[in-house]
Amino acid sequence: MTKDIATPIRTTEILKKYNFLFKKSLGQNFLIDRNILRRITETAGLTKEMNVIEIGPGIGALTEQLAKVSKQVIAFEIDQRLLPILSDTLYDYDNVAIVHADILKTDIMQVMAEHFEDTTAPLKVVANLPYYVTTPIILQLLHAHLPIDTMTFMLQKEVADRISAIPGTKSYGSLSIAIQFYMKAELAFIVPKTVFMPQPNVDSAVIHLTKRKTPAAEVNSESFFFEVTRSAFAQRRKTLWNNLAVRFPEIKKQKDKITSELAAIGIDLTRRGETLSIQEFALLSNFLGKFCEQI
C-alpha cells in the first residue's frame, strides 16, 4: 500500500479506522490527489533549509508532503478529534509539530520559538484553508508582522480571484488591496472539486503570495488607508464621493474644494472604487487624512 495519505483508498481507511465524521462547520474537505499536493509544494518553492507553518492539516495529507521537502513544520489544528489521527499518520516525521490551537487566537511567534530549532530559517506558510475562515486567517498573518517570505494557499477559487484581481475588474475590491499592499499575488493553478473528500460545491485555486520589500504605496497611516479603501467599496455601484461621504460626513460641506484639489492630483471622485489602483488609493487616503485633521 502506498505510504502517501492523499489517495482515496488510504484516506477512506484512515477515516474508518477512527470513525471520523466531517464537521461542516469547520469546512473540512480533505485532498485525495497527491499530485495536487506536490504541485502545491513546488509552487511554494520549499527546500530543506526552510521552516513551514500550516493551518488546518486535517489528517496530514499536505503536512506529509511539506515534511518531506522542508526543514520543520508547525501545523495548527483546531479540531481535537484529529490529534490522534495526526499522531498516527505523521508518526514517521520527526520534523513536524502539531499544535492544537485556533491560529486566530494564538501567539504565533511564541509557538515558533517553542518548536522551531532555527528561528532564523526562511519561513513559508502553506495551507489548504477552510473556506469559512480564509480571509481572517490571511489578514491575521499579514498584520502579525511575522518574518514570512511567501504564503501559498489553496482556497475557494472565487476568493483567489478576488485576492489576485487587478483594478477595473469585477473581482477587484478592498480584499485585493488589503493583501496586495503587502504581497505580490499570483494565481498558480485551479483545483477541481473532484479531488476532495467530501466534495465541495465549488472549485478551488492555489494562490502564491510573495512579500514585498516595501508596501505597494507610501501612506501616512496604514489603518486610515484601509479604512478609506473599505469605504470606497461599501456599495460598489456608487461613486467614490457617495461612498466616502457616508463614512466621512464632515467632508460634505467642502465638496467643491475637495473635488478640485483631488482632481489636481489625478483623482476624480465621480469614479468608482474598482477603477483606482493601490497608488491612487494612497494619494486619496493621504489627502483625506490631512483634510480631516484640519477640520
Side-chain angles (χ1 to χ4, degrees):
M1 182 175 66
T2 180
K3 183 174 181 58
D4 284 346
I5 296 167
T7 67
I9 293 176
R10 181 92 195 279
T11 299
T12 300
E13 288 176 349
I14 293 169
L15 297 177
K16 284 184 178 179
K17 178 180 178 180
Y18 287 90
N19 295 314
F20 183 83
L21 298 176
F22 294 96
K23 274 191 178 180
K24 191 173 182 181
S25 62
L26 294 178
Q28 292 172 328
N29 302 95
F30 300 158
L31 263 170
I32 53 174
D33 188 325
R34 54 194 165 190
N35 293 321
I36 295 292
L37 292 174
R38 288 169 184 162
R39 286 186 70 186
I40 292 173
T41 60
E42 289 170 4
T43 299
L46 300 177
T47 71
K48 278 295 183 179
E49 287 71 47
M50 298 172 178
N51 288 331
V52 180
I53 288 175
E54 184 191 8
I55 302 111
I59 60 174
L62 176 58
T63 322
E64 177 181 50
Q65 302 303 324
L66 297 175
K68 290 178 180 179
V69 295
S70 62
K71 188 179 184 72
Q72 284 185 279
V73 180
I74 295 175
F76 291 87
E77 178 53 60
I78 196 172
D79 189 350
Q80 188 170 4
R81 301 174 305 151
L82 288 167
L83 301 186
I85 301 178
L86 289 164
S87 295
D88 181 5
T89 59
L90 301 173
Y91 179 81
D92 292 334
Y93 300 97
D94 59 5
N95 61 338
V96 175
I98 304 298
V99 177
H100 178 222
D102 181 348
I103 197 166
L104 293 174
K105 302 175 182 178
T106 302
D107 185 336
I108 303 173
M109 289 292 283
Q110 181 179 335
V111 174
M112 288 168 53
E114 292 172 357
H115 293 283
F116 283 149
E117 294 175 3
D118 180 9
T119 56
T120 65
L123 179 62
K124 310 276 187 173
V125 178
V126 186
N128 171 18
L129 291 179
Y131 291 170
Y132 78 101
V133 76
T134 294
T135 299
I137 287 178
I138 297 178
L139 294 180
Q140 171 93 339
L141 291 169
L142 288 176
H143 296 147
H145 301 296
L146 302 172
I148 298 169
D149 292 333
T150 66
M151 298 193 288
T152 306
F153 296 122
M154 182 164 62
L155 35 74
Q156 188 174 348
K157 183 180 179 298
E158 179 188 352
V159 178
D161 288 338
R162 288 168 58 202
I163 290 173
S164 59
I166 61 174
T169 61
K170 185 178 180 181
S171 298
Y172 183 72
S174 57
L175 179 62
S176 318
I177 297 167
I179 293 176
Q180 292 181 37
F181 184 78
Y182 299 109
M183 314 288 284
K184 294 179 182 177
E186 174 191 1
L187 201 158
F189 60 94
I190 307 302
V191 181
K193 57 188 176 182
T194 53
V195 299
F196 292 93
M197 181 185 295
Q199 189 176 127
N201 296 323
V202 296
D203 288 338
S204 298
V206 171
I207 194 162
H208 185 63
L209 306 174
T210 305
K211 187 176 181 180
R212 298 179 186 273
K213 291 182 179 179
T214 58
E218 292 186 16
V219 296
N220 297 333
S221 166
E222 288 187 7
S223 59
F224 188 77
F225 168 78
F226 292 125
E227 188 175 358
V228 168
T229 58
R230 286 193 298 270
S231 301
F233 290 96
Q235 296 190 52
R236 292 187 68 94
R237 293 187 177 183
K238 288 194 172 184
T239 64
L240 277 172
W241 173 260
N242 286 335
N243 275 326
L244 293 172
V246 172
R247 176 59 189 85
F248 307 102
E250 62 270 30
I251 68 176
K252 292 180 181 178
K253 294 181 180 179
Q254 300 194 51
K255 180 178 179 180
D256 291 342
K257 176 180 173 61
I258 292 172
T259 300
S260 175
E261 293 187 12
L262 281 173
I265 58 173
I267 307 295
D268 183 348
L269 288 175
T270 64
R271 292 166 63 183
R272 292 178 179 172
E274 65 202 50
T275 68
L276 270 68
S277 67
I278 293 178
Q279 291 73 24
E280 288 177 311
F281 268 115
L283 290 173
L284 175 61
S285 70
N286 288 342
F287 173 86
L288 283 180
K290 289 181 179 178
F291 191 89
C292 290
E293 285 176 1
Q294 296 169 1
I295 296 176

PDB file of all heavy atoms in Angstrom, residues 1 27 32 73-74 101-102 133 175 188 190 213 266 290:
ATOM      1  N   MET A   1       0.853  -1.212   0.000  1.00  0.00           N
ATOM      2  CA  MET A   1       0.000   0.000   0.000  1.00  0.00           C
ATOM      3  C   MET A   1       0.875   1.244   0.000  1.00  0.00           C
ATOM      4  O   MET A   1       1.870   1.319   0.713  1.00  0.00           O
ATOM      5  CB  MET A   1      -0.896   0.011   1.250  1.00  0.00           C
ATOM      6  CG  MET A   1      -1.843   1.202   1.327  1.00  0.00           C
ATOM      7  SD  MET A   1      -2.963   1.068   2.749  1.00  0.00           S
ATOM      8  CE  MET A   1      -1.808   1.216   4.103  1.00  0.00           C
ATOM      9  N   GLY A  27     -15.475  23.390   7.839  1.00  0.00           N
ATOM     10  CA  GLY A  27     -15.050  23.419   6.442  1.00  0.00           C
ATOM     11  C   GLY A  27     -14.056  22.321   6.097  1.00  0.00           C
ATOM     12  O   GLY A  27     -13.074  22.565   5.397  1.00  0.00           O
ATOM     13  N   ILE A  32      -7.470  14.254  -1.862  1.00  0.00           N
ATOM     14  CA  ILE A  32      -7.194  12.843  -2.118  1.00  0.00           C
ATOM     15  C   ILE A  32      -6.398  12.669  -3.419  1.00  0.00           C
ATOM     16  O   ILE A  32      -6.445  11.622  -4.053  1.00  0.00           O
ATOM     17  CB  ILE A  32      -8.497  12.019  -2.170  1.00  0.00           C
ATOM     18  CG1 ILE A  32      -9.500  12.644  -3.163  1.00  0.00           C
ATOM     19  CG2 ILE A  32      -9.116  11.918  -0.783  1.00  0.00           C
ATOM     20  CD1 ILE A  32     -10.757  11.812  -3.372  1.00  0.00           C
ATOM     21  N   VAL A  73       8.082  21.701  10.258  1.00  0.00           N
ATOM     22  CA  VAL A  73       6.701  22.110  10.011  1.00  0.00           C
ATOM     23  C   VAL A  73       5.969  22.253  11.342  1.00  0.00           C
ATOM     24  O   VAL A  73       6.032  21.362  12.192  1.00  0.00           O
ATOM     25  CB  VAL A  73       5.947  21.071   9.145  1.00  0.00           C
ATOM     26  CG1 VAL A  73       4.507  21.531   8.899  1.00  0.00           C
ATOM     27  CG2 VAL A  73       6.667  20.827   7.831  1.00  0.00           C
ATOM     28  N   ILE A  74       5.286  23.382  11.508  1.00  0.00           N
ATOM     29  CA  ILE A  74       4.339  23.547  12.613  1.00  0.00           C
ATOM     30  C   ILE A  74       2.951  23.589  11.992  1.00  0.00           C
ATOM     31  O   ILE A  74       2.665  24.432  11.136  1.00  0.00           O
ATOM     32  CB  ILE A  74       4.577  24.840  13.406  1.00  0.00           C
ATOM     33  CG1 ILE A  74       5.931  24.808  14.113  1.00  0.00           C
ATOM     34  CG2 ILE A  74       3.463  25.039  14.442  1.00  0.00           C
ATOM     35  CD1 ILE A  74       6.276  26.115  14.828  1.00  0.00           C
ATOM     36  N   ALA A 101      -4.609  24.382  18.434  1.00  0.00           N
ATOM     37  CA  ALA A 101      -4.915  25.787  18.734  1.00  0.00           C
ATOM     38  C   ALA A 101      -5.638  26.429  17.563  1.00  0.00           C
ATOM     39  O   ALA A 101      -5.525  25.983  16.416  1.00  0.00           O
ATOM     40  CB  ALA A 101      -3.628  26.564  19.022  1.00  0.00           C
ATOM     41  N   ASP A 102      -6.381  27.468  17.887  1.00  0.00           N
ATOM     42  CA  ASP A 102      -7.001  28.331  16.891  1.00  0.00           C
ATOM     43  C   ASP A 102      -5.972  29.386  16.533  1.00  0.00           C
ATOM     44  O   ASP A 102      -5.589  30.202  17.370  1.00  0.00           O
ATOM     45  CB  ASP A 102      -8.258  28.978  17.491  1.00  0.00           C
ATOM     46  CG  ASP A 102      -8.982  29.889  16.510  1.00  0.00           C
ATOM     47  OD1 ASP A 102      -8.399  30.213  15.447  1.00  0.00           O
ATOM     48  OD2 ASP A 102     -10.116  30.296  16.811  1.00  0.00           O
ATOM     49  N   VAL A 133     -13.122  30.647   6.853  1.00  0.00           N
ATOM     50  CA  VAL A 133     -12.248  31.484   7.667  1.00  0.00           C
ATOM     51  C   VAL A 133     -11.008  31.933   6.898  1.00  0.00           C
ATOM     52  O   VAL A 133     -10.047  32.418   7.477  1.00  0.00           O
ATOM     53  CB  VAL A 133     -11.867  30.715   8.963  1.00  0.00           C
ATOM     54  CG1 VAL A 133     -10.815  29.639   8.670  1.00  0.00           C
ATOM     55  CG2 VAL A 133     -11.429  31.651  10.076  1.00  0.00           C
ATOM     56  N   LEU A 175     -10.419  43.580  -0.474  1.00  0.00           N
ATOM     57  CA  LEU A 175      -9.586  42.431  -0.130  1.00  0.00           C
ATOM     58  C   LEU A 175      -8.361  42.370  -1.033  1.00  0.00           C
ATOM     59  O   LEU A 175      -7.249  42.085  -0.551  1.00  0.00           O
ATOM     60  CB  LEU A 175     -10.389  41.134  -0.252  1.00  0.00           C
ATOM     61  CG  LEU A 175      -9.614  39.852   0.065  1.00  0.00           C
ATOM     62  CD1 LEU A 175      -9.128  39.857   1.505  1.00  0.00           C
ATOM     63  CD2 LEU A 175     -10.472  38.615  -0.198  1.00  0.00           C
ATOM     64  N   ALA A 188      -1.804  30.483  -9.090  1.00  0.00           N
ATOM     65  CA  ALA A 188      -0.920  29.447  -9.648  1.00  0.00           C
ATOM     66  C   ALA A 188      -1.653  28.436 -10.517  1.00  0.00           C
ATOM     67  O   ALA A 188      -1.268  28.183 -11.657  1.00  0.00           O
ATOM     68  CB  ALA A 188      -0.178  28.740  -8.516  1.00  0.00           C
ATOM     69  N   ILE A 190      -5.726  26.008 -10.903  1.00  0.00           N
ATOM     70  CA  ILE A 190      -7.078  25.685 -10.452  1.00  0.00           C
ATOM     71  C   ILE A 190      -7.109  24.237  -9.951  1.00  0.00           C
ATOM     72  O   ILE A 190      -6.453  23.356 -10.507  1.00  0.00           O
ATOM     73  CB  ILE A 190      -8.099  25.853 -11.600  1.00  0.00           C
ATOM     74  CG1 ILE A 190      -7.974  27.258 -12.220  1.00  0.00           C
ATOM     75  CG2 ILE A 190      -9.517  25.615 -11.087  1.00  0.00           C
ATOM     76  CD1 ILE A 190      -8.178  28.392 -11.249  1.00  0.00           C
ATOM     77  N   LYS A 213       9.253  43.927  -0.567  1.00  0.00           N
ATOM     78  CA  LYS A 213      10.307  44.511   0.268  1.00  0.00           C
ATOM     79  C   LYS A 213       9.775  45.742   0.995  1.00  0.00           C
ATOM     80  O   LYS A 213      10.131  46.005   2.143  1.00  0.00           O
ATOM     81  CB  LYS A 213      11.521  44.874  -0.589  1.00  0.00           C
ATOM     82  CG  LYS A 213      12.251  43.663  -1.138  1.00  0.00           C
ATOM     83  CD  LYS A 213      13.469  44.058  -1.946  1.00  0.00           C
ATOM     84  CE  LYS A 213      14.192  42.823  -2.470  1.00  0.00           C
ATOM     85  NZ  LYS A 213      15.380  43.179  -3.292  1.00  0.00           N
ATOM     86  N   GLY A 266      -5.056  63.972  -9.868  1.00  0.00           N
ATOM     87  CA  GLY A 266      -5.489  62.874 -10.725  1.00  0.00           C
ATOM     88  C   GLY A 266      -6.565  61.968 -10.172  1.00  0.00           C
ATOM     89  O   GLY A 266      -6.804  60.885 -10.707  1.00  0.00           O
ATOM     90  N   LYS A 290      -5.159  64.219   5.913  1.00  0.00           N
ATOM     91  CA  LYS A 290      -4.732  65.583   6.267  1.00  0.00           C
ATOM     92  C   LYS A 290      -5.928  66.538   6.327  1.00  0.00           C
ATOM     93  O   LYS A 290      -6.016  67.387   7.207  1.00  0.00           O
ATOM     94  CB  LYS A 290      -3.721  66.087   5.232  1.00  0.00           C
ATOM     95  CG  LYS A 290      -2.356  65.392   5.310  1.00  0.00           C
ATOM     96  CD  LYS A 290      -1.407  65.955   4.274  1.00  0.00           C
ATOM     97  CE  LYS A 290      -0.044  65.293   4.364  1.00  0.00           C
ATOM     98  NZ  LYS A 290       0.886  65.799   3.324  1.00  0.00           N
TER      99      LYS A 290
END
